[in-house]
Amino acid sequence: MRVTIFGTGYVGLVTGACLAETGNHVLCVDIDPTKVERLNRGEIPIYEPGLESIVKQSHAAGRLRFTTDLAEGVAHGLFQFICVGTPADEDGSADLNQVLSVARSIGEHMVEYRVVVDKSTVPVGTADRVKAEIEGVLNRRKVKIEYDVVSNPEFLKEGAAVEDFMKPERIVIGVNDPRTAALLRTLYEPFNRNRDRVIVMDPRSAEMTKYAANAMLAARITLMNEFANIAERVGADIEQVRVGIGSDPRIGYSFIYPGCGYGGSCFPKDVRALVASSNAVGYQPQLLSAVEVVNERQKEILFAKIERFFGGALRGKTIALWGLSFKPNTDDMREASSRVLMESLWAAGCKVRAYDPAALDEARRIYGKRADLTLCDSAEDALDGADALAIVTEWRQFRSPDFDLIKERLGSDAIFDGRNLYDPSLLKRHGLKYFAVGRGDSLAL
Ligand SMILES: NC(=O)c1ccc[n+]([C@@H]2O[C@H](COP(=O)([O-])OP(=O)(O)OC[C@H]3O[C@@H](n4cnc5c(N)ncnc54)[C@H](O)[C@@H]3O)[C@@H](O)[C@H]2O)c1
């Protein structure tokens, strides 16, 4: 089948590559010429395990192409996937400019039947707005062309995006016309083989499903963080509590890891957007608003601990930082806890020596050259001359480090662990001072 993808970010590039891998002819359109040039040279602009090889193979086979030409994109595919960004506007609502601009391009260049598939995360009612936008342009062109607009939210996780797309847990198709649903079922057939994962519903419910899923996960993490903050003050160990409650099948072990806050390109903006959508229809979602507030506060806890440990005398201190990306296996630093920590440390007069297995280039792009940031080539290198170590991303390679080396290099012997990676008694045996999240150590500070 012929497929056009608008937007070659995490969602668009993965969708395009996976659909091309299964034999479709895919044209990816992006308005960023640098990105398109890099992709055409065989360079992958993002870090995502398994992506590079499938992009290169399908590109070499001629089934996956990249262009900036919107008209060529509209002419190419029966399916027109919208995978552009929906960043938060100033009031927290989703900014639909990129989505509606693609809709207008489709309306301007369409000459025959098209299925417009919205994969971007968009507020309820956007499929109708996309339809209205296309309709407006067709009316101006004084032409009548058949098309349908489908909501097909994406549930892939950065860091496992290819795997998630290839073996999805569910494929939500929000559509009114059963013929269009059948077309999408055919397109998704290769990813739907051992059991039916397709869930067909109306477009508004599909749009809401994506926000509800992200808000549910964000709320679980946040509730756990709230428990951790209480545990810390009452002398309980949240890791033991986690094991204790996760064993209840109604609760389960997923998404109950306490830490220094969630980040990324989805949870923060999607929770905010759902709050904004609710407010716009006169409903105050108090629980969701609290999720947002508690998470923002959680991102500050590592700095607060470091500040307390040094008795407020932070000026001139050097902090080693392990992890910059918002989670492991990605280079994405959007809304990452590392950024809140680094910015607080800089404001207090500290220097940061940071290491991340994938996000060093991204950190360089965001912060440029600055005297108080050294981006290091290894985790050990980051420890050189550091007074303390802070860990904000649970990359696997940080799980079992050489504690003797850490002790030798750190001026204060203190580790501030925002992801509860270590056994406190083991670190004590190594002579390290260990401060994690919700493990009863606030009394020690
Ligand atoms: N990143 C994720 O893990 C994830 C998961 C599920 C859903 N989503 C949702 O998917 C959408 C895309 O997210 P992303 O992380 O891939 O975004 P991204 O910012 O990485 O990529 C968006 C791309 O769209 C391009 N673009 C903007 N306007 C365009 C236009 N008019 N025509 C063609 N290209 C255009 C941009 O240049 C950019 O390359 C968002 O709504 C997001 O919420 C993201």
Side-chain angles (χ1 to χ4, degrees):
M1 295 174 113
R2 291 165 73 92
V3 180
T4 298
I5 310 272
F6 290 93
T8 58
Y10 290 86
V11 169
L13 189 56
V14 169
T15 303
C18 292
L19 289 173
E21 165 89 357
T22 49
N24 299 292
H25 287 266
V26 179
L27 179 62
C28 291
V29 186
D30 203 294
I31 51 168
D32 180 345
T34 320
K35 222 175 209 181
V36 171
E37 271 164 34
R38 288 184 66 186
L39 285 162
N40 275 324
R41 278 201 305 269
E43 286 175 35
I44 311 298
I46 52 172
Y47 174 82
E48 194 55 58
L51 184 59
E52 185 164 356
S53 65
I54 59 170
V55 168
K56 284 190 170 162
Q57 275 165 26
S58 293
H59 189 49
R63 282 195 313 274
L64 179 62
R65 295 185 297 118
F66 304 98
T67 182
T68 51
D69 187 338
L70 296 160
E72 191 189 349
V74 180
H76 174 81
L78 164 65
F79 296 100
Q80 304 272 308
F81 275 83
I82 303 179
C83 300
V84 294
T86 47
D89 227 333
E90 267 164 26
D91 63 354
S93 62
D95 175 348
L96 290 179
N97 279 323
Q98 297 179 28
V99 171
L100 297 178
S101 148
V102 174
R104 280 192 297 279
S105 303
I106 295 172
E108 272 154 26
H109 301 292
M110 185 165 73
V111 293
E112 59 185 328
Y113 177 66
R114 290 288 176 259
V115 180
V116 179
V117 187
D118 185 15
K119 232 183 202 326
S120 296
T121 302
V122 290
V124 174
T126 302
D128 291 337
R129 288 187 67 182
V130 165
K131 204 172 263 176
E133 206 73 25
I134 297 175
E135 205 53 40
V137 181
L138 292 181
N139 286 342
R140 251 176 279 134
R141 284 175 59 199
K142 298 191 172 45
V143 290
K144 256 203 136 18
I145 304 166
E146 238 197 289
Y147 62 93
D148 203 354
V149 178
V150 181
S151 165
N152 171 218
E154 181 51 59
F155 297 95
L156 62 76
K157 302 183 284 297
E158 280 178 31
V162 172
E163 171 86 6
D164 284 347
F165 195 95
M166 293 289 194
K167 292 182 191 153
E169 278 142 5
R170 75 286 217 197
I171 301 165
V172 171
I173 300 176
V175 63
N176 292 318
D177 185 338
R179 285 174 310 170
T180 316
L183 280 173
L184 275 143
R185 260 189 187 281
T186 310
L187 181 68
Y188 278 118
E189 192 51 40
F191 312 101
N192 192 32
R193 288 181 70 82
N194 60 2
R195 66 176 166 88
D196 190 10
R197 293 161 167 90
V198 172
I199 305 171
V200 178
M201 58 178 80
D202 68 81
R204 282 179 180 249
S205 303
E207 289 165 340
M208 174 104 191
T209 297
K210 175 66 191 173
Y211 280 107
N214 276 357
M216 175 80 78
L217 296 172
R220 255 173 96 90
I221 296 173
T222 303
L223 183 57
M224 207 56 198
N225 286 337
E226 191 101 281
F227 293 156
N229 295 338
I230 298 169
E232 191 157 310
R233 285 160 180 79
V234 298
D237 177 357
I238 193 65
E239 288 303 320
Q240 295 183 41
V241 176
R242 179 178 65 75
V243 175
I245 61 173
S247 56
D248 182 335
R250 294 169 303 174
I251 297 174
Y253 286 109
S254 309
F255 270 81
I256 58 166
Y257 287 96
C260 55
Y262 62 75
S265 67
C266 293
F267 288 1
K269 88 168 167 55
D270 292 350
V271 170
R272 270 173 227 145
L274 190 52
V275 169
S277 294
S278 310
N279 285 331
V281 292
Y283 177 74
Q284 270 74 52
Q286 299 197 1
L287 179 56
L288 288 179
S289 305
V291 167
E292 160 77 6
V293 172
V294 173
N295 188 59
E296 288 305 302
R297 198 176 60 191
Q298 199 67 10
K299 287 181 174 174
E300 293 166 7
I301 63 166
L302 278 192
F303 176 74
K305 284 178 185 240
I306 295 171
E307 194 180 36
R308 251 180 289 154
F309 177 80
F310 286 108
L314 282 179
R315 188 155 297 282
K317 291 276 184 291
T318 298
I319 307 298
L321 179 66
W322 284 3
L324 289 162
S325 56
F326 83 93
K327 68 172 183 180
N329 298 320
T330 181
D331 58 351
D332 199 338
M333 286 180 62
R334 287 178 277 186
E335 307 237 12
S337 303
S338 64
R339 296 174 68 165
V340 175
L341 175 59
M342 281 196 291
E343 287 163 23
S344 303
L345 290 169
W346 291 331
C350 293
K351 288 194 166 122
V352 174
R353 292 179 63 81
Y355 169 70
D356 187 282
L360 292 175
D361 284 345
E362 186 59 5
R364 216 166 274 131
R365 187 188 69 76
I366 295 169
Y367 292 113
K369 246 188 151 15
R370 44 185 302 162
D372 48 11
L373 173 64
T374 307
L375 295 170
C376 303
D377 291 332
S378 71
E380 291 76 24
D381 186 16
L383 300 170
D384 263 351
D387 293 290
L389 166 64
I391 304 170
V392 290
T393 318
E394 64 276 33
W395 283 93
R396 202 171 281 157
Q397 59 177 263
F398 300 153
R399 283 176 189 258
S400 214
D402 182 342
F403 292 117
D404 293 331
L405 182 100
I406 295 178
K407 178 158 169 57
E408 198 183 293
R409 298 231 176 140
L410 287 184
S412 72
D413 298 339
I415 299 183
F416 297 87
D417 179 359
R419 301 295 170 194
N420 288 1
L421 298 184
Y422 310 126
D423 171 1
S425 58
L426 176 73
L427 268 72
K428 206 170 172 189
R429 283 204 297 282
H430 281 276
L432 287 158
K433 298 172 189 134
Y434 182 52
F435 305 99
V437 181
R439 311 205 70 177
D441 53 41
S442 69
L443 300 174
L445 282 177

